[in-house]
């Protein structure tokens, strides 16, 4: 067992349609065979919305019954889920499970959400008055003046930003004004605040594209259009950003055909999968496994066992030396 007093959280990440839910359930069952209880904590940004079942590829009733799931169907579509709100919910859920001797298995393809649950990431608040003043200054004095001010107050943050992007400059100065600390102090680091091990699912692009095409066709067959028609009056600004919902709304409004709508969903889902792989690929702590490997579950269990034994502590400590540069505007 590792130096901590409890087994590590298992976080399963990877692109959409790679089989994360199936692996999470398989790991929970494998742990149960050893006499260890495990339950799944959802880290998908849109599976938290009630009624958004088909479009978000929510676990099936059979999957939900196989292993207890948490943080699914917890808000209405007209509510707004933010990563900061999720962080509190997820950490409370993880703490509750661990207090009862249950190992949490975090499952989801929303990269920032998955990291927010277990990593050293903070989300400073906002102040409308401070932001309005900075936006006014950007218009009257020019963004270059604000960037020079940021460079003076937080050269580390400024070195990671594009001076031509006033939005990020304004956000950085806003955080400095609110917290009294450098903006760079709030940038996420590759450091677990909850001892964890991350398993990534990888598969060839052609196979991933094939799975996405199949999933999109299944969504259509399962009644995704009816789901969107039913939910449309209650879709808030955040929930409506879930991929696929706007395409179907446009179809219902006669802007294009149903075939065109679902072709666009498939294309944009493939593009999302590429972005997800890029996102997760930057984290050196993730242990990548081939999703198609017939020994996937046993390989995943070996990763979990090595993590519990502390075998990856040196790798995790080395990763902690690097700050993730591309998340400077996570709270903007």
């Amino acid at each position: 067992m590792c130096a901590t007093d409890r087994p590590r959280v298992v976080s399963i990440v990877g692109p959409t349609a790679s089989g994360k839910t199936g692996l999470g359930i398989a790991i929970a069952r494998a742990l149960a065979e050893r006499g260890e209880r495990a339950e799944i904590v959802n880290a998908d940004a849109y599976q938290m919305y009630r009624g958004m079942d088909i479009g978000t590829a929510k676990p099936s009733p059979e999957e939900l019954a196989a292993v207890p799931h948490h943080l699914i169907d917890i808000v209405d579509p007209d509510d707004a889920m933010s990563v900061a709100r999720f962080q509190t919910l997820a950490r409370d859920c993880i703490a509750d499970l661990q207090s009862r001797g249950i190992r949490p298995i975090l499952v989801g393809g929303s990269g920032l959400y998955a990291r927010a649950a277990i990593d050293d990431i903070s989300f400073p608040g906002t102040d409308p008055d401070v932001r309005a003043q900075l936006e006014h200054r950007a218009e009257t004095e020019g963004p270059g003046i604000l960037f020079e001010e940021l460079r003076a107050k937080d050269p580390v943050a400024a070195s990671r930003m594009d001076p031509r992007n006033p939005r990020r400059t304004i956000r950085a100065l806003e955080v400095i004004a609110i917290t009294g600390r450098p903006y760079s102090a709030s940038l996420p680091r590759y450091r677990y605040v909850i001892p964890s091990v991350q398993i990534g699912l990888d598969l060839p692009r052609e196979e991933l594209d094939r799975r996405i095409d199949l999933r999109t066709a299944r969504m259509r067959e399962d009644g995704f259009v009816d789901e969107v028609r039913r939910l449309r009056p209650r879709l808030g600004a955040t929930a409506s950003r879930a991929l696929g919902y706007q395409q179907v709304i446009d179809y219902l409004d006669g802007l294009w055909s149903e075939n065109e709508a679902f072709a666009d969903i498939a294309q944009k889902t493939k593009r999302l999968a590429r972005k997800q792989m890029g996102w997760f690929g930057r984290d050196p702590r993730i242990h990548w496994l081939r999703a198609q490997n017939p020994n996937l579950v046993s390989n995943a269990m070996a990763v979990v066992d090595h993590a519990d034994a502390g075998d990856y502590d040196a790798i995790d400590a080395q990763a902690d030396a690097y700050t993730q540069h591309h998340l400077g505007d996570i709270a903007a």
Side-chain angles (χ1 to χ4, degrees):
M1 190 65 62
C2 64
T4 60
D5 59 354
R6 53 180 51 136
R8 297 177 186 242
V9 171
V10 178
S11 178
I12 302 174
V13 300
T16 185
S18 59
K20 297 182 293 296
T21 296
L23 180 58
I25 291 172
I27 290 176
R29 285 173 165 166
L31 290 169
E33 292 176 358
R34 301 180 177 182
E36 181 181 350
R37 295 171 63 193
E39 298 182 3
I40 291 175
V41 180
N42 169 54
D44 183 282
Y46 295 109
Q47 290 184 2
M48 300 176 207
Y49 290 99
R50 298 184 187 96
M52 297 177 63
D53 304 331
I54 299 171
T56 66
K58 201 171 289 181
S60 67
E62 293 76 19
E63 290 171 325
L64 293 173
V67 176
H69 285 63
H70 303 270
L71 302 188
I72 286 180
D73 294 337
I74 58 172
V75 294
D76 290 324
D78 56 359
D79 198 353
M81 177 58 65
S82 67
V83 66
R85 181 181 178 186
F86 167 77
Q87 183 181 66
T88 299
L89 293 170
R91 291 185 178 180
D92 287 347
C93 181
I94 289 170
D96 174 65
L97 291 174
Q98 291 180 328
S99 72
R100 294 186 283 123
I102 302 171
R103 187 197 294 257
I105 301 176
L106 196 66
V107 177
S110 302
L112 185 54
Y113 279 66
R115 285 197 63 195
I118 57 177
D119 256 357
D120 183 8
I121 300 178
S122 61
F123 300 94
T126 62
D127 186 316
D129 293 335
V130 172
R131 178 165 290 205
Q133 293 172 9
L134 290 167
E135 289 174 344
H136 177 71
R137 287 186 55 199
E139 293 177 1
T140 58
E141 302 175 26
I145 298 296
L146 291 186
F147 187 79
E148 289 305 317
E149 182 176 323
L150 175 62
R151 196 197 302 274
K153 292 182 175 180
D154 190 350
V156 174
S159 68
R160 300 170 185 167
M161 293 187 182
D162 183 348
R164 297 165 296 183
N165 187 340
R167 178 171 170 267
R168 291 188 64 186
T169 300
I170 289 170
R171 175 55 182 163
L173 290 172
E174 178 190 21
V175 170
I176 293 171
I178 293 172
T179 65
R181 302 168 62 227
Y183 178 62
S184 53
S186 67
L187 294 176
R189 301 185 64 85
Y190 289 123
R191 176 167 54 216
Y192 296 129
V193 295
I194 300 175
S196 305
V197 58
Q198 295 181 85
I199 296 173
L201 284 176
D202 188 22
L203 64 171
R205 176 175 294 188
E206 296 77 13
E207 172 63 14
L208 184 58
D209 287 348
R210 186 188 71 84
R211 293 188 183 193
I212 290 171
D213 286 333
L214 287 174
R215 172 179 286 186
T216 305
R218 193 179 310 120
M219 288 166 54
R220 186 174 185 175
E221 295 168 1
D222 290 346
F224 184 38
V225 171
D226 291 335
E227 176 175 287
V228 177
R229 185 183 287 113
R230 182 177 66 256
L231 290 174
R232 183 177 183 179
R234 299 190 294 122
L235 283 177
T238 304
S240 62
R241 291 201 294 264
L243 202 156
Y245 286 80
Q246 188 59 53
Q247 283 89 343
V248 174
I249 288 173
D250 289 343
Y251 156 63
L252 293 173
D253 288 344
L255 299 181
W256 52 13
S257 70
E258 185 175 347
N259 286 341
E260 290 171 328
F262 279 91
D264 193 66
I265 291 172
Q267 180 187 26
K268 285 187 168 56
T269 303
K270 293 170 186 176
R271 188 180 306 163
L272 171 64
R274 309 280 190 270
K275 291 177 65 175
Q276 289 172 319
M277 288 303 295
W279 169 282
F280 292 120
R282 284 187 282 266
D283 191 336
R285 301 165 301 172
I286 296 176
H287 303 273
W288 290 98
L289 300 177
R290 283 284 181 178
Q292 296 172 287
N293 191 321
N295 299 316
L296 173 63
V297 178
S298 59
N299 290 344
M301 292 301 296
V303 171
V304 173
D305 290 341
H306 280 292
D308 284 345
D311 294 345
Y312 301 137
D313 289 351
I315 296 174
D316 293 343
Q318 186 177 25
D320 182 32
Y322 301 96
T323 298
Q324 191 161 330
H325 299 297
H326 69 287
L327 284 178
D329 59 347
I330 54 175

